[in-house]
Amino acid sequence: MLKKPTQVITIKGRVQGIGFRPFIFRVAKKLRLKGYVKNTKSGVVIECQGDKTKELIKILKKSPPPLAKITNISIKTIKKPPYEEFVIEKSTDFDGKSETAEIMPDLAVCKACIRDFTTKTNRRYFYPFTNCTQCGPRYSIIKKLPYDRPNTTMDKFLMCESCSKEYKDPKNRRFHAQPNACPVCGPKLYLCNNKGEILLKSNNLIIIKKVQKLLKSGKIIAIKSIGGFQIACDAQNDHVVMLLRKRKNRPTKPFAIMVKDLKTVRKLAYVSKQEEKLLKSHLAPIVLLQKKDKAEISKYVAPNNGYLGIMLPYTPLHKLLFFKPKLNNVSRETFNWVPEVLVMTSANPKGEPIVSTKTEVVKKLGHVVDYILDHDRPIESRCDDSILFWPSLRNSRVRWAYPIIIRYSRGFVPQPIYLENIRLKPILAFGSDLKNYFAIGFDNKVYLSPYIGDLINETNINFFFEMLDKYIKWFNFKPEIVVCDLHPDYVSTRLAENYAGNNKLKLVKVQHHFAHLAGVYAENNLTGDAIGIAFDGTGYGTDHAIWGSEIMVFNPGGYERIAHLKYMPLIGGDTAITNPKLILKAYLDIIDRNLPVNITKTSSMGRLFDAVSSLLELCHKQSYEGEAPSILEAYALKAQNNLSRDLLAACTQDCFDPLAILKSIVEFKRSNYSISELALWFHKRIVNETVKLVENIARMRRIYQVCLSGGVFQNRIVFTFMASRLKKLNFCVYTNKQVPINDGGIALGQIVAANQMKK
Ligand code: ZN
Ligand code: ZN
Ligand code: FE
């Protein structure tokens, strides 16, 4: 038989279990190609004959299926007998375990599924566990690999005939969708009281309508989401939001809200095109948006804060809570309210991880909630909602290319962070004590854990090791080096020391701010030396002082600390963090005196923000970390970037000295400037002095790349002003892209630094 030239295309990366083959099938049919597509151990393989193979490759490169992440395409030409049609071929040698196995993160519900459960004639009408290859739970239901239904928490649900048919049909959207389910065969919804007793079951429409009614009447409800329970209440009802604050013992820390749709989001906050895309992405994170003055929302949701943490409904259940079905006349009278904005905060006792079972809700939060909306699809691994923001300000032309991560969890975990230019030894990093995440690194990738929380209690430490065990198994990881922070009193340091000791592994300790910056360096594939600015709360320094405003020249092999805020006394050690007034008092007490010798010294930028917030009478005592600086930022936002000329003139002075800054503010306060103006002045002054220092370093060392990291850069004014000033001066400016900019990013930097260490 005559043989025909045949292209063999091998595609690697995240290309399996996401509807990749049906996509190829459709494109190939359209291009009239003949041949087949199939899954193999080393990726997806296509063999095709026809004139338009080039176009297929072009489409793959330019507009692959939305969830695909192609890392490599290789093509070779062979000769084969002619194929008659294009087919999806059964995988032969393939047991689901590919070389490039990736566990997908949990994905926000897709449009096609929304259509399914909101269409009255569809068999999934009002079914809150609808999903497909493009959406639904993944990470949170996986018990072990390979990712196959029997290895997930869906193992106890036997697919009905209709679901099975979808699951086996390569052309169906639900082909190999492991959590595939329907009202006949899948998980079920239950409405319970706060003792856990079932009140309603089986009819989804009636349960959801009942929940809407309860929310409207001011009830607080625990709702089982993808990675854990959330606590919901009507965010437009002052009374219930206050009640939730009282019951949760959470006086002022902002609550995240879930908003019905984009149109409603726009009524509450300013939304840029980029922020809109982020809200609607399959990550569906909480996005911090600049609050509108007249937003119709309870003032207790985010008191004294310039931003609202907003997310869109990301599971079918959420979507249905906001959905108003067309009902007949009778039921319309009884059920006519749907919420617009709900408080949707993680269900956890103060300082502990998110809870994932009804039993835990009853035990730990029974006094907080009135009802529990539960379901019987178990959560295997917990994860919170992720939080991001886009560093731009209204009325400012600063544009930044990517969003900044504040909390890394749902939608991110457990995907690898790829580092080009680096080969990693197998390294386990213990991270930082506050906002803890661990990370494992090998080859050219790093896996960051979900948000663990602060390592302040047994529950969180247990969560840490529960997840560490899973990561070690999933990624077949054997650490050779353990790395932790330099702080001698950190819990994470102690845990790392024990772990290294017990497993006879080498232990490396890395300075906190160097770790912040080393992460940025590696994430951006930099070479040579860089200037680093780490503005932060606290980090233990090599001179035993508490650092936190470090300007360094560095590369992953080492650093030189060039400048920092002049040392100030840190009274009360770690307890000072909750008490800006105490910090301020200690600072002012030493005016005109020298720093006592035997006192803890600090160059923390975070503490200076605390002190200024207290000096401007905005916050004397914090009820959560970062409260004082966020109120300060909210006031600075109100000044709308307008400063009186004399204030502007006093913005740049050549001393990186907290006392000089505080003294100026004391003087300004006498001359009737508004608090907003003074708050803005302070932000500008910090930025201007820093930029001047950086310019001097650049001139001397001829370094033009600058890395920014640390918790203070969560302050959008500081970040955008700093980045735009530096860019105007032709510096290349980098920050954390794939990990949090706060201490959540430390573990990545620890790995990068430990990997470079000699010996
Ligand atoms: Zn879907
Ligand atoms: Zn079914
Ligand atoms: Fe830090």
Side-chain angles (χ1 to χ4, degrees), residues 123-124 158-164 180-186:
R123 69 189 188 94
R124 288 189 174 86
L158 193 68
M159 266 187 272
C160 69
E161 211 175 299
S162 316
C163 285
S164 259
N180 189 25
C182 78
V184 175
C185 65

